[in-house]
Amino acid sequence: MTDYIKPLPKFDPVTAPFWDSLKAEKIEIQCCEDCASYVFYPRALCPHCSSRRLKWTPVSGRGRVYTLTVVHKAPGAFQADAPYVVALVDLEEGCRMMSNIVDVAPDPEAVKIGMPVEIVYEHVTEAVTLPKFRPVTR
Amino acid sequence: MAIKQAAVVGVAESDEIGVVPNKSTLQLQGEAVLNALDDAGLALRDVDGLFTAGFRTTEVAEYLGIQPRYFDGTHVGGSSFVVHLGHAAAAIASGRIETALIVHGESGRSRVGLPASGSSAQGMEGQFENPYGMPGAPGAYAMACARHMHQYGTNERQLAEIAVAARKWAQLNPRAFKRDPLSIEEVLASPYVSWPFRKLDCCLVTDAAGAVVVTSLERARDLKKAPVRVLGWGEGHDHQIISQMPDLTSAPGRISGPDAFAMAGIVHADIDVAEIYDSFTYTVLTSLEDLGFCKKGEGGDFVSGGRIAPGGDFPLNTSGGGLSYTHPGMFGIFTIIECVRQLRGEFRGEGLRQIADARIGLVHGTGGKLSATGTAILAAD
């Protein structure tokens, strides 16, 4: 795993609990204790109501594809992977994150907007686990 | 203090544009500045306000040997320079400065002497987008376009109309980078870069600089060429990274457009020529909708049937745009340059190259990942 050459996130004090929850394969997202909105990416304040009371909360890891692109001309370290899908996933709880859609052909006929997806934990280094998503088949 | 109206009095590109491997980014900018001042009949010593993005204002001022008393380094990507035009007009209106210089250029193709850039692994893009192999602007705009297609049925053929129209305009412009004939079928046969975008949906990468000189209308009337008045402007912010864009089908032209129209006191039907930043074909389509030239979702129909091509009833990107004329890094400055030339009637006698009786023009820049926009409305004096 030490030969991973793709860009890695560098955590900060506010975002670290998110990355830690992925490493434990139990994804958590901040939820606002005042307006009940789920907030992503992690912040020190709620962008919906400006509350400072954001609480790390377990979420389902399920969602739907909001939009996607199939990358053919990839950034350096990703060239060997092309084509691949980068998507925005709307989580059931109501916030959105970027990820890859995996375990499916990188084809807009196979990965469709609105398609249900679920999280898969990809442990890319000792410290970093990336949240990827795959189509829900069950 | 009386409010002074502002006017554009000088516009120019660098001496050479296209592939210019023997010149640095700052040299290209210096050439564009001197050419624009010459176009205005002014000199560097007349400039008291400097507006730029990419390099710091101090870097550009130092290179030019000027000490401006007003400076604005607002950096919202390709929309920066249209935003600067509004800010310059406001600074002139308030009496704070007399003459503003707006400049941008990049050795985008040859990569000589570029300003420092790059995102941090601890920034939000570094943490939440780059680990997934997101290919920057093409991927972000492609995602927005895919959503637009899903919601409104927009199709690749409609996008190709935009690329073909740009090429037809470029064929009328001797300075354009790409002038060979282009058909919709050829666009649709070009390889995918980031689905749904193909190679020919994406702007060029060239070496070029552009500069714009703005002063008070009062002073402008004593200068070399007919002034082009700045009637109104607006700017809009939405997000920085694409995963934070609230609605991928709606860009901040919905904010900057209405502000610019309201300030100018005109309506859409008054616009004779439009210069709209075409980083990608889709950027034009959403901009037309966001600005209110058609309803959301109707952009595909709006651009079809040769309507925005030479001879069509909605002349758009008459230089050939970022798709076929030039695109060093942040194209916004060139929308202003082309619009001013049209409103001056500089292409009279060149057939379709000149929009007949062009009196009022719109310029619109989109920057970042559909993150920010600037809109301005210009008019012949």
Side-chain angles (χ1 to χ4, degrees):
Chain A
M1 289 204 295
T2 49
D3 59 354
Y4 191 79
I5 57 159
K6 293 168 185 167
L8 287 167
K10 189 176 174 191
F11 315 164
D12 66 58
V14 173
T15 65
F18 171 69
W19 296 109
D20 291 343
S21 77
L22 296 174
K23 190 175 177 184
E25 302 201 358
K26 289 174 183 169
I27 183 173
E28 293 188 3
I29 301 281
Q30 289 175 314
C31 185
C32 177
E33 294 190 277
D34 285 304
C35 76
S37 300
Y38 282 83
V39 172
F40 192 80
Y41 50 76
R43 287 166 166 87
L45 57 87
C46 174
H48 305 287
C49 77
S50 73
S51 168
R52 297 181 190 222
R53 301 198 313 137
L54 295 172
K55 188 181 178 196
W56 287 102
T57 309
V59 294
S60 67
R62 284 189 298 270
R64 286 178 186 273
V65 175
Y66 171 73
T67 192
L68 70 137
T69 181
V70 182
V71 180
H72 291 261
K73 196 175 172 196
F78 294 88
Q79 278 170 8
D81 298 346
Y84 57 90
V85 175
V86 182
L88 298 181
V89 174
D90 282 345
L91 299 183
E92 275 180 350
E93 290 79 8
C95 56
R96 182 175 296 160
M97 68 170 64
M98 182 176 285
S99 183
N100 300 118
I101 308 298
V102 298
D103 297 345
V104 61
D107 181 339
E109 290 303 312
V111 183
K112 292 195 180 265
I113 290 175
M115 188 174 84
V117 291
E118 64 188 5
I119 196 166
V120 268
Y121 297 95
E122 201 171 300
H123 303 284
V124 297
T125 66
E126 192 66 34
V128 177
T129 299
L130 294 176
K132 303 284 179 88
F133 288 82
R134 67 181 173 207
V136 175
T137 49
R138 290 172 274 114
Chain B
M1 195 181 301
I3 297 289
K4 293 182 180 178
Q5 275 198 59
V8 180
V9 291
V11 297
E13 299 114 326
S14 45
D15 295 357
E16 300 166 83
I17 63 173
V19 183
V20 194
N22 58 328
K23 291 181 180 175
S24 74
T25 296
L26 279 168
Q27 179 176 358
L28 292 167
Q29 293 197 11
E31 289 178 0
V33 165
L34 295 182
N35 292 341
L37 286 165
D38 185 54
D39 189 55
L42 291 169
L44 265 173
R45 64 176 171 277
D46 296 310
V47 173
D48 50 5
L50 176 65
F51 300 72
T52 194
F55 285 115
R56 294 180 175 91
T57 53
T58 44
E59 292 175 287
V60 175
E62 175 184 274
Y63 190 83
L64 296 174
I66 60 173
Q67 291 82 39
R69 62 192 334 119
Y70 193 103
F71 29 84
D72 184 341
T74 301
H75 192 341
V76 283
S79 59
S80 302
F81 316 99
V82 182
V83 170
H84 292 163
L85 178 59
H87 293 185
I92 290 164
S94 73
R96 201 65 208 172
I97 56 170
E98 180 81 30
T99 301
L101 171 65
I102 308 169
V103 59
H104 170 66
E106 263 181 47
S107 172
R109 192 176 187 90
S110 303
R111 322 288 298 167
V112 186
L114 291 172
S117 68
S119 68
S120 144
Q122 202 164 31
M124 295 305 123
E125 189 174 36
Q127 290 195 58
F128 300 108
E129 294 198 350
N130 293 344
Y132 307 107
M134 183 60 181
Y141 285 73
M143 279 185 170
C145 184
R147 183 72 198 179
H148 197 280
M149 288 172 152
H150 173 77
Q151 276 183 226
Y152 300 111
T154 304
N155 61 58
E156 291 190 29
R157 196 171 185 87
Q158 292 168 330
L159 297 179
E161 284 258 9
I162 297 168
V164 168
R167 182 62 58 86
K168 286 181 176 166
W169 285 112
Q171 289 181 296
L172 303 174
N173 180 359
R175 298 204 80 175
F177 189 73
K178 289 274 191 189
R179 303 187 67 204
D180 44 317
L182 182 68
S183 67
I184 287 176
E185 289 66 33
E186 285 169 274
V187 177
L188 296 178
S190 68
Y192 280 121
V193 171
S194 206
W195 176 90
F197 287 162
R198 297 173 182 275
K199 183 166 186 273
L200 294 173
D201 287 303
C202 304
C203 63
L204 305 168
V205 181
T206 64
D207 304 324
V212 170
V213 181
V214 192
T215 191
S216 63
L217 181 59
E218 194 178 17
R219 186 178 199 195
R221 286 178 173 148
D222 296 329
L223 295 178
K224 254 166 95 174
K225 294 190 177 168
V228 170
R229 293 157 60 202
V230 185
L231 291 188
W233 62 84
E235 57 199 76
H237 253 201
D238 205 54
H239 60 279
Q240 169 66 20
I241 59 176
I242 197 70
S243 56
Q244 294 288 314
M245 186 171 185
D247 175 353
L248 266 77
T249 66
S250 174
R254 69 180 183 275
I255 304 166
S256 61
D259 279 1
F261 275 99
M263 183 175 178
I266 63 152
V267 296
H268 291 78
D270 296 326
I271 300 292
D272 299 311
V273 60
E275 308 294 343
I276 294 177
Y277 188 174
D278 52 348
S279 47
F280 303 94
T281 50
Y282 171 74
T283 318
V284 171
L285 192 145
T286 187
S287 296
L288 288 166
E289 296 174 355
D290 299 323
L291 291 168
F293 284 102
C294 59
K295 287 187 187 147
K296 188 48 72 180
E298 293 179 357
D301 284 338
F302 187 92
V303 300
S304 291
R307 186 177 192 184
I308 60 172
D313 68 6
F314 192 88
L316 176 93
N317 292 351
T318 49
S319 63
L323 290 167
S324 281
Y325 151 59
T326 204
H327 188 287
M330 298 188 277
F331 182 76
I333 191 94
F334 299 96
T335 65
I336 304 168
I337 293 170
E338 174 66 15
C339 190
V340 166
R341 288 172 173 165
Q342 287 290 348
L343 296 175
R344 284 174 173 173
E346 285 196 4
F347 306 111
R348 274 190 206 113
E350 296 179 36
L352 290 171
R353 178 76 180 89
Q354 175 67 46
I355 307 309
D357 304 318
R359 299 291 302 167
I360 301 182
L362 173 139
V363 297
H364 180 70
T366 304
K369 317 289 168 57
L370 293 155
S371 313
T373 58
T375 311
I377 291 167
L378 308 179
D381 189 28

